[in-house]
């Protein structure tokens, strides 16, 4: 069953997946860092709680194989083996791939560092790299969409958003709706939900094609 179990009471959490024997290895292999994974992290943008929460849902559907791959990259970047990635380690990884690693690295870390402790743990890393997984696992996006669409009518209303983002003021939730409701019908449909999640440099057809 694992992370893709339909019954949420039986579904693996991220922590369950991380403790799975298949992925519970902390040895970083001696080969180049996966550029695609790092680029996904480099382009990460969780600029509000709605998008951040949706990406958490997508990350919770990762398979054991997904987690294995991402965990490998995590340990390659975590060179001091503290089980966290520091700003300096992140900058080093970006430089190895020829990516800018100046002052913007701290801003990038702040985007991904949900618990605001100044480092990136594995859970946060999985969420930050989940955008990459959306290209290959569009069912994960549909599952996340359905977590919001509680009445299963194919759209997400302000009220449904408020049920999930219960700690956000109603006015802020309405701002989210206004930002992502592209056809301005007062609801977020599945296509609009995908556009909210998918990085702008990924072709939309790659996600929506059956």
């Amino acid at each position: 069953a694992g992370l893709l179990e339909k019954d949420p009471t039986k579904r693996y959490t991220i922590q369950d997946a991380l403790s799975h024997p298949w992925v519970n290895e902390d040895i970083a292999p001696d080969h180049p860092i996966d550029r695609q994974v790092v680029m996904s992290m480099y382009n990460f943008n969780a600029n509000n709680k709605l998008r951040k929460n949706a990406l958490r849902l997508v990350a919770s559907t990762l398979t054991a194989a997904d987690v294995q791959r991402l965990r490998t990259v995590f340990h390659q970047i975590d060179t001091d083996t503290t089980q966290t990635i520091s700003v300096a380690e992140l900058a080093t990884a970006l430089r190895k791939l020829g990516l800018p690693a100046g002052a913007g690295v701290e801003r990038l870390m702040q985007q991904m560092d949900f618990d605001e402790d100044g480092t990136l743990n594995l859970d946060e890393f999985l969420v930050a790299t989940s955008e990459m997984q959306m290209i290959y696992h569009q069912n994960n996006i549909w599952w996340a969409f359905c977590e919001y669409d509680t009445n299963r009518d194919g759209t997400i209303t302000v009220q449904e958003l408020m049920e999930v983002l219960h700690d956000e003021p109603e006015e802020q939730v309405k701002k989210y709706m206004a930002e992502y409701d592209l056809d301005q019908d007062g609801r977020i449909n599945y296509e609009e939900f995908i556009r909210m999640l998918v990085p702008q440099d990924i072709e939309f057809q790659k996600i929506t094609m059956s």
Side-chain angles (χ1 to χ4, degrees), residues 138-200:
Q138 65 171 311
N139 285 341
N140 298 3
I141 307 177
W142 175 247
W143 177 83
F145 178 82
C146 290
E147 289 293 294
Y148 287 94
D149 178 23
T150 54
N151 67 0
R152 300 297 187 264
D153 68 350
T155 61
I156 300 171
T157 64
V158 168
Q159 184 58 43
E160 287 172 322
L161 286 181
M162 290 180 62
E163 290 174 7
V164 177
L165 304 173
H166 48 79
D167 59 341
E168 286 278 81
E170 182 175 356
E171 183 156 336
Q172 183 59 56
V173 173
K174 288 181 177 178
K175 286 181 180 179
Y176 295 152
M177 177 62 71
E179 180 176 357
Y180 299 119
D181 174 24
L182 302 180
D183 61 9
Q184 299 182 346
D185 67 348
R187 299 166 177 266
I188 296 174
N189 60 37
Y190 182 52
E191 180 175 325
E192 291 165 336
F193 186 77
I194 293 175
R195 288 186 182 276
M196 176 186 77
L197 292 179
V198 176
Q200 293 182 358

Side-chain angles (χ1 to χ4, degrees), residues 43 45 51 131 195-204:
N43 293 321
N45 180 17
R51 192 169 189 277
E131 289 181 341
R195 288 186 182 276
M196 176 186 77
L197 292 179
V198 176
Q200 293 182 358
D201 59 344
I202 295 178
E203 293 181 17
F204 185 63

Side-chain angles (χ1 to χ4, degrees), residues 29-44:
D30 185 21
H31 57 68
I33 296 174
D34 189 324
R35 183 182 181 86
Q36 188 178 30
V37 174
V38 176
M39 284 301 299
S40 180
M41 180 171 56
Y42 185 73
N43 293 321
F44 180 70

